[in-house]
Amino acid sequence: MKVGSRHYHTIWLNTDGRSIDIIDQRWLPHEFRVVTLKTVDEVATAIRDMWVRGAPLIGVTAAYGIAIAMQGSASDAALDAAWENLHETRPTAINLKWALDEMRGLLRGLPESKRAGAAYARAAAIAAEDIELNRAMGRHGLAIIRQIAARKKPGEPVNLLTHCNAGWLATVDYGTATAPIYTAAEAGVPVHVYVDETRPRNQGAQLTAWELNNHGVPHTLIVDNAGGHLMQRGQVDMVIVGTDRTTASGDVCNKIGTYLKALAAKDNDVPFYVALPSPTIDWTVHDGVKEIPIEERDAAEVTFVQGRGTDGATTRVRISPEGSPAANPAFDVTPARLVTGLITERGVAEASAEGLQAMFPERA
């Protein structure tokens, strides 16, 4: 996607051929910063502290982290240490473990002298695969948007609501939930997006709105609690979100607050779709509420907010009283019964074990 007039991915290999460059998302939308990561510890920090975020991008970043680690010692011990270092950064997003397992499984069978080169090649391939998966989801999601548009008056936009940031900033390019939106806009289908601010880190207000603004997609920023109200008034045609982990039975784990949007959508007969590339499916988990670990993040994300001050500087301010404790569960689980469909790179699957197995028969 574009930032200004220049096309960017969220991550790319530095010109030195060893380190990686990333867009440091902590400073958006007010400052656009590119950071170079040179060590596996720096990669781990970038994932843990959300310089990069979004399940697909976390996976790609971790893959490059393994490659960077192999530039030093490429022994089995070094490989395992890098795997552990990166794996502990974010416990909920399954793409992280998927990418780390992919890298370790490949490298285990190679001589140490060939591991670094193979690691960089596989990390680059995972990044390229992510882009193609997202493009495919965009095409399948476009078909749904076209169906809704056909029922509306000519020129009337399809009103979509999204939560958190499942855009290109959460992937290498195109995004998951935003891929159908961008594809529709490029195809000339009129769309309008209601963007949840998405507390506590405000990824909707700070990232999704910034993306849509850069891409010229009509949108309106709303507070998290406004979604149900808009659905009651018939102002939302479709909800589309991403996911950090989807169970083999179709339960969806996504940014905290997603479950409440699904409940409101169900009560108002608004279709609720989830866009996910297949690496986001955890085939070993069947009950999302009981089995998926929910990351508990720093309470300061709740008690402080970041924004641009009147002096033009990016700053953090406290919004709660000193001494008031805060809880910060980062994700919740939306049961499959509330999901209209799962938009994958192969098509739209029913949110059920049978639906996913039909779409991915090799996993049955």
Side-chain angles (χ1 to χ4, degrees):
M1 309 304 290
K2 286 188 176 180
V3 179
S5 60
R6 179 177 171 183
H7 178 266
Y8 276 91
H9 290 163
T10 53
I11 185 171
W12 60 96
L13 191 64
N14 187 275
T15 53
D16 64 12
R18 299 165 59 95
S19 54
I20 54 172
D21 290 341
I22 61 165
I23 298 171
D24 187 345
Q25 299 182 31
R26 296 173 299 167
W27 304 99
L28 293 173
H30 307 299
E31 299 178 43
F32 183 79
R33 298 187 185 184
V34 173
V35 174
T36 301
L37 307 177
K38 299 179 179 180
T39 69
V40 66
D41 287 337
E42 290 177 351
V43 173
T45 297
I47 296 173
R48 182 183 300 107
D49 294 346
M50 297 181 71
W51 305 12
V52 295
R53 22 75 50 214
L57 179 56
I58 288 172
V60 173
T61 306
Y64 272 114
I66 293 289
I68 290 172
M70 294 297 94
Q71 286 285 352
S73 170
S75 67
D76 285 350
L79 177 59
D80 289 342
W83 191 100
E84 293 291 348
N85 186 6
L86 294 164
H87 181 252
E88 68 180 10
T89 55
R90 299 292 303 275
T92 302
I94 194 60
N95 298 60
L96 173 65
K97 184 177 184 300
W98 174 85
L100 292 173
D101 287 346
E102 280 279 308
M103 298 297 286
R104 185 160 67 175
L106 168 69
L107 300 179
R108 279 283 196 205
L110 297 177
E112 291 184 17
S113 61
K114 296 184 179 296
R115 287 183 176 181
Y120 277 101
R122 182 59 183 134
I126 290 173
E129 289 164 9
D130 177 71
I131 296 172
E132 292 309 312
L133 293 177
N134 297 338
R135 282 177 172 160
M137 288 187 292
R139 293 191 294 271
H140 296 305
L142 170 61
I144 299 170
I145 294 174
R146 284 192 187 279
Q147 290 173 3
I148 296 172
R151 300 194 295 267
K152 300 177 75 72
K153 297 177 181 178
E156 186 179 0
V158 175
N159 288 300
L160 304 109
L161 185 145
T162 190
H163 187 67
C164 195
N165 174 257
W168 72 271
L169 288 169
T171 66
V172 179
D173 208 344
Y174 287 92
T176 56
T178 59
I181 296 171
Y182 292 135
T183 305
E186 291 167 358
V189 180
V191 294
H192 169 266
V193 185
Y194 286 109
V195 179
D196 278 356
E197 61 180 346
T198 321
R199 285 280 292 148
R201 291 186 65 95
N202 295 315
Q203 291 106 317
Q206 296 185 341
L207 303 179
T208 303
W210 181 80
E211 279 192 33
L212 296 173
N213 196 41
N214 270 281
H215 205 64
V217 177
H219 62 282
T220 303
L221 177 64
I222 59 172
V223 298
D224 287 349
N225 291 332
H229 166 73
L230 295 176
M231 292 182 214
Q232 282 183 327
R233 294 169 64 89
Q235 294 177 245
V236 177
D237 298 307
M238 171 182 172
V239 179
I240 184 167
V241 301
T243 173
D244 289 80
R245 187 185 303 206
T246 298
T247 71
S249 58
D251 295 340
V252 174
C253 183
N254 193 48
K255 177 71 177 182
I256 193 75
T258 303
Y259 174 46
L260 296 180
K261 292 299 181 296
L263 288 172
K266 187 72 170 181
D267 192 52
N268 291 281
D269 295 321
V270 175
F272 183 95
Y273 285 93
V274 181
L276 65 145
S278 54
T280 310
I281 304 170
D282 187 344
W283 298 97
T284 70
V285 169
H286 297 272
D287 189 325
V289 174
K290 294 180 179 178
E291 298 180 71
I292 296 178
I294 300 299
E295 179 181 359
E296 182 77 25
R297 293 188 58 81
D298 191 340
E301 293 182 350
V302 176
T303 57
F304 286 81
V305 294
Q306 178 173 294
R308 172 171 284 179
T310 55
D311 60 356
T314 301
T315 186
R316 294 173 73 243
V317 296
R318 175 179 280 277
I319 60 171
S320 62
E322 291 277 1
S324 290
N328 188 15
F331 303 92
D332 59 25
V333 175
T334 299
R337 60 184 171 80
L338 300 177
V339 178
T340 305
L342 302 171
I343 304 171
T344 77
E345 70 269 18
R346 295 186 183 179
V348 182
E350 178 185 276
S352 66
E354 296 76 17
L356 285 171
Q357 288 174 7
M359 192 64 67
F360 300 94
E362 70 277 15
R363 291 287 189 171

